[in-house]
Amino acid sequence: LGATVALADIVRNGGVVHATHLALDGTTVNVRMSVSEFDDGYAVLCCEESEDQRSNRNLRTVVDALQEGVVLIGQNRRPFSINPAARDILGLDGRGVDDLALLAELAFYDVDGEPLSPDQHPVEATFRTGLPTLGRLIGIDRADGSRAWLMASFQLFHPERPATSPQLVSFIDFTAQRATTERLAYRAAHDVLTDLPNRAHLMETVGTLLRNGTPLCAVLFIDLDDLKTVNDTLGHDIGDVVIRTSAQRLRDVVRKRDIVGRFSGDEFVVLLVGSFEDEDVDAMVTRIRHALTRPLEVNGATLTLGASIGAVRIGPGDTRDPSALLRDADGAMYADKGRGRRQANVTRPAPDDPEPSLGQADPIR
């Protein structure tokens, strides 16, 4: 051994120690010592390391210390090396060989969440072309079933020997950043008060439906009559309750495939998606009107509002763009409002009556 060693300490610290010794001729010798307990003593294995072995060991130490996940994949498309950071990011349990078997079975997804077939996977593309893929966002199902998003790079470990080189895959966990981006994108496309798609998102959705050939049979433009009077008389907090309740009533009355959005302050848009006969559209308009004009109990008062609704039907060969469709639906809504404008009404509880009275309704003016 060339020196006194504390074998019990080596066992406690993992059982392996590396050291540089001096030979009698003054040259250095790199030694790797493995120690394990045996009966009432120790079994000790010593071997001299070559410079290549020492370099590889140093490289492994560096790779294991990285916060970036690193995986080596052989030409047989099977992983054969994984560092601790990769195990942690991928949700593997650190059982070594079992990790590698699980890793080979994980499902991968593109940036839109669509599953990647084996021939679409960047690992396969890098092996096939020899060209690196750098900074690609991919999804992966972790061992516990949760979805992780990785910012990953794929490149040959020995690009000068593409036929035999393993592939180096390195990645960082991008799940939190993607979640933040998705939240910001969602908030940019949805109304804060009602959580419905906002005006910009509605316009984009109409355009997407028209481009994709998805049947869009009608656009309904809806205005809550006299909401401004409610805001001026009872306060904007009550007005917000009316808007949120109206949004929920619209969600409840339309079909699952239909789309409800808030166009502006007291205006909503409903997109009727799928096949619909003209009489079905009329029936839906009636259902929506009844839903929105049902009395609403707020802070001991009963509010009854009107709703003006304009409907524009879309038939085969219709060439109107989203702006024209919404403009025509808006015009139809104003025509409906002109035919029979309703006032918002409130029934207040009597001064000495703790319960709301459902007596004569007085218009809010």
Side-chain angles (χ1 to χ4, degrees):
L1 301 180
T4 301
V5 293
L7 299 179
D9 290 343
I10 295 175
V11 171
R12 275 196 299 272
N13 292 320
V16 178
V17 65
H18 299 269
T20 300
H21 291 215
L22 284 176
L24 293 177
D25 61 1
T27 58
T28 58
V29 180
N30 297 317
V31 177
R32 180 181 187 275
M33 180 191 301
S34 299
V35 182
S36 59
E37 292 182 301
F38 184 76
D39 292 339
D40 57 352
Y42 299 91
V44 181
L45 174 66
C46 294
C47 63
E48 183 179 350
E49 286 187 312
S50 68
E51 286 302 319
D52 284 345
Q53 290 171 323
R54 185 179 179 88
S55 296
N56 288 339
R57 176 169 56 81
N58 290 339
L59 177 60
R60 168 52 63 185
T61 301
V62 171
V63 170
D64 285 350
L66 292 175
Q67 297 301 305
E68 185 177 23
V70 177
V71 177
L72 283 173
I73 301 175
Q75 286 280 335
N76 61 357
R77 293 5 180 211
R78 305 290 293 183
F80 64 87
S81 179
I82 180 172
N83 74 341
R87 290 194 184 97
D88 183 58
I89 292 171
L90 300 177
L92 302 174
D93 63 8
R95 291 181 294 169
V97 175
D98 288 347
D99 280 350
L100 300 180
L102 287 171
L103 180 59
E105 298 171 0
L106 297 180
F108 291 83
Y109 302 87
D110 66 17
V111 68
D112 296 320
E114 294 297 324
L116 288 174
S117 62
D119 60 316
Q120 294 174 320
H121 198 283
V123 168
E124 187 61 35
T126 298
F127 273 131
R128 186 173 60 249
T129 66
L131 300 176
T133 299
L134 305 177
R136 177 169 176 180
L137 183 64
I138 61 170
I140 187 168
D141 283 341
R142 299 158 67 110
D144 62 2
S146 64
R147 180 71 53 83
W149 290 95
L150 314 178
M151 187 63 70
S153 295
F154 307 80
Q155 50 198 319
L156 295 181
F157 197 67
H158 299 295
E160 72 282 2
R161 302 196 301 271
T164 59
S165 174
Q167 186 170 155
L168 174 67
V169 181
S170 57
F171 50 86
I172 61 172
D173 189 348
F174 207 74
T175 307
Q177 293 92 323
R178 180 180 171 90
T180 299
T181 301
E182 288 178 340
R183 283 196 298 271
L184 292 174
Y186 184 87
R187 284 271 60 93
H190 289 76
D191 172 57
V192 174
L193 180 61
T194 64
D195 210 34
L196 293 175
N198 60 19
R199 179 173 184 163
H201 191 27
L202 278 169
M203 299 292 287
E204 182 181 352
T205 300
V206 173
T208 299
L209 292 173
L210 295 176
R211 286 193 303 272
N212 293 345
T214 304
L216 176 61
C217 72
V219 176
L220 310 183
F221 206 102
I222 303 162
D223 178 78
L224 301 179
D225 295 333
D226 280 338
L227 181 65
K228 182 178 185 301
T229 305
V230 173
N231 287 331
D232 293 345
T233 306
L234 301 177
H236 285 273
D237 289 345
I238 302 301
D240 287 347
V241 173
V242 172
I243 290 172
R244 283 196 298 267
T245 303
S246 299
Q248 187 57 54
R249 288 177 174 180
L250 284 171
R251 288 193 191 99
D252 293 340
V253 77
V254 302
R255 304 166 306 167
K256 289 183 179 180
R257 74 184 73 171
D258 299 327
I259 299 169
V260 179
R262 186 183 181 194
F263 197 74
S264 64
D266 57 357
E267 296 175 331
F268 297 88
V269 168
V270 174
L271 308 179
L272 300 182
V273 182
S275 59
F276 245 120
E277 301 295 335
D278 284 350
E279 56 269 23
D280 294 332
V281 174
D282 293 337
M284 178 61 77
V285 170
T286 300
R287 289 173 59 190
I288 289 174
R289 196 186 304 276
H290 287 167
L292 293 179
T293 55
R294 292 202 315 268
L296 171 63
E297 299 286 340
V298 184
N299 287 357
T302 303
L303 295 176
T304 306
L305 276 73
S308 300
I309 305 174
V312 170
R313 293 165 177 80
I314 304 167
D318 197 317
T319 59
R320 286 174 290 182
D321 62 14
S323 296
L325 288 172
L326 269 298
R327 184 171 58 249
D328 291 347
D330 187 29
M333 181 272 294
Y334 274 105
D336 182 61
K337 187 183 292 288
R339 284 192 293 269
R341 182 181 179 88
R342 294 189 53 182
Q343 298 182 93
N345 290 276
V346 59
T347 300
R348 303 179 187 275
D352 299 326
D353 187 356
E355 296 297 326
S357 170
L358 299 180
Q360 182 65 36
D362 299 321
I364 298 176
R365 303 191 185 279

